[in-house]
Amino acid sequence: MAQDDFDLFVIGGGSGGVRAGRIAANHGARVGVAEEYRFGGTCVIRGCVPKKLLVYASRFAAEFADAAGFGWRMGKPTFDWRALVAAKDREIARLEGIYAANLEKANAAIFPERATLLGPNQVRLHSGRTLTAGRILIATGGRPTMPHELPGIEHAITSNEAFDLETLPSSIAIVGGGYIALEFAGIFAGLGARVTLVHRGANLLRGFDGDLSRRVLEAYRARGIRVELEATLLKLDRAGAGAPIVATLNSGNAVEVEQVMFAIGRMPNVEGLGLEQAGIRTDRNGAIIVDELSRTSVPSIYAIGDVTNRLNLTPVAIREGHAFADTVFGDRPWQADYENVPTAVFSTPEIGTVGLSEEAAVSRHGIVDIYRADFRTLKATLSGSDERMLMKLVVDGSSDRVLGAHLIGPDAGELIQVIATLLRTGVTKRDFDQTMPLHPSSAEELMTLRTRSARRIQHHDPQLGLMP
Ligand SMILES: Cc1cc2nc3c(=O)[nH]c(=O)nc-3n(C[C@H](O)[C@H](O)[C@H](O)COP(=O)(O)OP(=O)(O)OC[C@H]3O[C@@H](n4cnc5c(N)ncnc54)[C@H](O)[C@@H]3O)c2cc1C
């Protein structure tokens, strides 16, 4: 029998695909990786990395204002959007080069073109070439969802385009209430745009702890961001190129803006991939169904990352890719652990969260204790800003184990990374109490949460389980 062209062919050169390809090649597999757009994928090219760079840019305006309280005197700062976009582009081009180079260094063959499935061991490249592989890994990620039926939707953009706008819009309506919508609302507001956030739900950040979603809403409104809750868009009208977009809401009100951006969710990138021909099962959202070892319904085909819609974060895609490569090519089976995954929302104020929200903890545990600190930061005492920090621990009242930690305020993302390790090791509230605080810091407040803010008790019904 003729040998396959590759032991592994990876479709998608993003976070997960590149890690899987590189590790499999290091284990001695003959690897090919196809990428239809740019190596690095969503995170590097139009996700986490450029997003965080824009977040940094957006926070300087408040920093300049804060500096005055510390004695600094300066002229009126001005901002150059094009300079920022160009600097951001240089950095992502550098990272893109590193991603491709790392694959090549590991002796993987790279194909800068689209690939689709022809069968359990066969792919077709856009150039027309057909290749065979012992195993195929689908790591095609996701893309923004757009309501294509909305009249005037052609006037709207997604996060993909927001990174590369020719000019900074003076006003923008952002549709959505998830982390991407909030981050971009914060970015554009910080850079001086008039921002309207339109969200169909009653609360921002569905699934997050209620204190975080309430606080970010208050903070955004205090920053002058107009937040329309339980609101949807009925249509978008534009009189002509260059004219403002008129966004009509279900309330009958209309907002006139220069840009409209949709951030209402993302969907798996499976269109035209040939899943049906190969016999791969998907769920009702189009996500590829996999088992804990990332195996699809076809034994030779695996899938990782956002295309499987498990936990759509870069480090998760990377772990899944690494676990796949070690398991299949390194004779070292392991799987990604989805417990206590820390998450940040780079809104301003920033959010860091890990573990169970108060609401989730109450539905799963009999007695839940809540400890909260809500304070003005030390820096704000001189800057005169209204910057605050809210910190919250959700504790199992029976075992004293910390079930969740939720922070909103400066550096919340940095802090939560370390707290996630503590939660993995089963940290108790008593451990926090016994740790010497570091003074003066915001983090020390976590060690001095002496007084319980609330105790939530559920009564157990033998038939119905826990009752609120
Ligand atoms: C605006 C934004 C901000 C984000 N911020 C964060 C954050 O702060 N932290 C975080 O952890 N996550 C963040 N994410 C999510 C993160 O980007 C994804 O979870 C991560 O990129 C998923 O990696 P992946 O390998 O599954 O897919 P991707 O990185 O999307 O890579 C998939 C690749 O496959 C390619 N491809 C698709 N189809 C084909 C085909 N048929 N042939 C060849 N190539 C193909 C695509 O071009 C893409 O490069 C953000 C996402 C967005 C959109």
Side-chain angles (χ1 to χ4, degrees):
M1 209 173 86
Q3 199 191 26
D4 286 320
D5 297 316
F6 294 103
D7 299 317
L8 170 67
F9 197 86
V10 183
I11 307 181
S15 304
V18 168
R19 173 62 69 93
R22 196 165 59 76
I23 300 299
N26 287 341
H27 286 310
R30 292 169 305 127
V31 177
V33 185
E35 167 53 52
E36 69 174 347
Y37 181 55
R38 294 175 68 179
F39 278 93
T42 305
C43 179
V44 170
I45 309 297
R46 44 197 183 186
C48 341
V49 174
K51 178 267 306 274
K52 186 92 184 268
L53 294 174
L54 299 198
V55 168
Y56 283 128
S58 72
R59 289 180 178 167
F60 281 104
E63 298 272 328
F64 294 140
D66 285 354
F70 291 85
W72 288 91
R73 300 286 173 263
M74 59 186 113
K76 190 175 181 312
T78 59
F79 172 68
D80 182 343
W81 169 256
R82 279 177 188 240
L84 171 63
V85 172
K88 178 264 296 173
D89 286 346
R90 280 194 296 277
E91 176 55 12
I92 62 172
R94 187 183 73 83
L95 293 173
E96 179 187 5
I98 290 175
Y99 269 72
N102 282 345
L103 279 173
E104 285 175 324
K105 257 190 246 159
N107 286 326
I110 61 177
F111 298 89
E113 56 186 309
R114 184 171 169 79
T116 50
L117 289 171
L118 279 182
N121 299 96
Q122 243 188 357
V123 293
R124 190 203 299 278
L125 297 180
H126 181 71
S127 53
R129 224 169 128 190
T130 300
L131 296 169
T132 59
R135 297 214 175 66
I136 296 171
L137 178 69
I138 305 173
T140 52
R143 62 192 151 94
T145 307
M146 280 293 254
H148 292 289
E149 65 294 346
L150 185 86
I153 189 66
E154 67 278 8
H155 302 308
I157 59 167
T158 69
S159 58
N160 283 351
E161 296 75 37
F163 287 115
D164 298 307
L165 293 171
E166 286 285 303
T167 53
L168 176 70
S170 60
S171 56
I172 184 164
I174 298 178
V175 186
Y179 82 96
I180 295 177
L182 283 178
E183 290 175 341
F184 275 93
I187 289 168
F188 284 117
L191 296 178
R194 185 166 47 81
V195 177
T196 305
L197 193 64
V198 180
H199 176 46
R200 68 175 180 183
N203 302 302
L204 299 171
L205 291 175
R206 186 161 55 94
F208 283 63
D209 188 274
D211 270 317
L212 299 179
S213 72
R214 281 186 290 275
R215 173 54 57 87
V216 77
L217 173 65
E218 280 163 25
Y220 268 29
R221 285 186 166 149
R223 287 180 66 183
I225 297 173
R226 176 175 163 191
V227 184
E228 297 276 350
L229 294 177
E230 297 180 300
T232 49
L233 282 193
L234 296 183
K235 59 175 179 157
L236 301 174
D237 293 293
R238 182 173 236 170
I245 303 170
V246 181
T248 307
L249 304 180
N250 58 340
S251 60
N253 291 340
V255 205
E256 202 177 279
V257 284
E258 210 178 300
Q259 282 289 354
V260 175
M261 172 180 151
F262 273 81
I264 56 173
R266 292 177 62 79
M267 55 201 282
N269 240 337
V270 291
E271 215 174 74
L273 204 56
L275 297 184
E276 305 78 28
Q277 293 96 294
I280 294 177
R281 286 179 50 218
T282 53
D283 68 14
R284 63 195 167 91
N285 300 314
I288 297 178
I289 299 173
V290 287
D291 67 9
E292 67 287 351
L293 290 175
S294 298
R295 292 180 289 212
T296 71
S297 48
V298 176
S300 56
I301 303 183
Y302 293 70
I304 52 149
D306 284 12
V307 76
T308 62
N309 198 21
R310 283 176 279 185
L311 196 48
N312 297 337
L313 293 169
T314 294
V316 176
I318 291 174
R319 284 275 163 101
E320 288 171 353
H322 202 133
F324 154 78
D326 279 350
T327 303
V328 177
F329 296 101
D331 199 21
R332 194 169 76 81
W334 63 280
Q335 27 185 291
D337 180 356
Y338 302 93
E339 284 287 307
N340 291 319
V341 176
T343 311
V345 180
F346 294 103
S347 45
T348 305
E350 186 168 303
I351 289 174
T353 179
V354 65
L356 297 183
S357 65
E358 177 175 341
E359 297 78 4
V362 168
S363 69
R364 291 193 214 168
H365 293 263
I367 305 173
V368 174
D369 290 335
I370 304 299
Y371 294 85
R372 276 168 108 258
D374 185 356
F375 54 94
R376 195 173 184 212
T377 62
L378 179 59
K379 188 176 170 197
T381 58
L382 289 204
S383 72
S385 82
D386 52 8
E387 181 178 83
R388 299 188 69 80
M389 182 117 202
L390 189 154
M391 294 176 155
K392 175 172 176 178
L393 292 182
V394 177
V395 178
D396 180 355
S398 312
S399 66
D400 198 41
R401 191 172 167 163
V402 179
L403 303 170
H406 311 286
L407 317 177
I408 176 165
D411 302 319
E414 300 291 338
L415 278 168
I416 212 70
Q417 172 69 85
V418 181
I419 297 173
T421 308
L422 298 177
L423 258 65
R424 275 186 65 80
T425 57
V427 70
T428 61
K429 173 66 173 58
R430 197 175 138 83
D431 293 322
F432 274 88
D433 296 342
Q434 291 186 336
T435 303
M436 193 66 79
L438 183 152
H439 184 72
S441 67
S442 291
E444 70 179 308
E445 298 290 335
L446 279 172
M447 314 303 149
T448 53
L449 291 166
R450 296 267 171 253
T451 319
R452 192 169 64 204
S453 322
R455 165 163 275 195
R456 310 273 306 270
I457 301 178
Q458 286 206 342
H459 301 289
H460 193 260
D461 178 302
Q463 255 102 52
L464 298 173
L466 292 174
M467 299 276 291

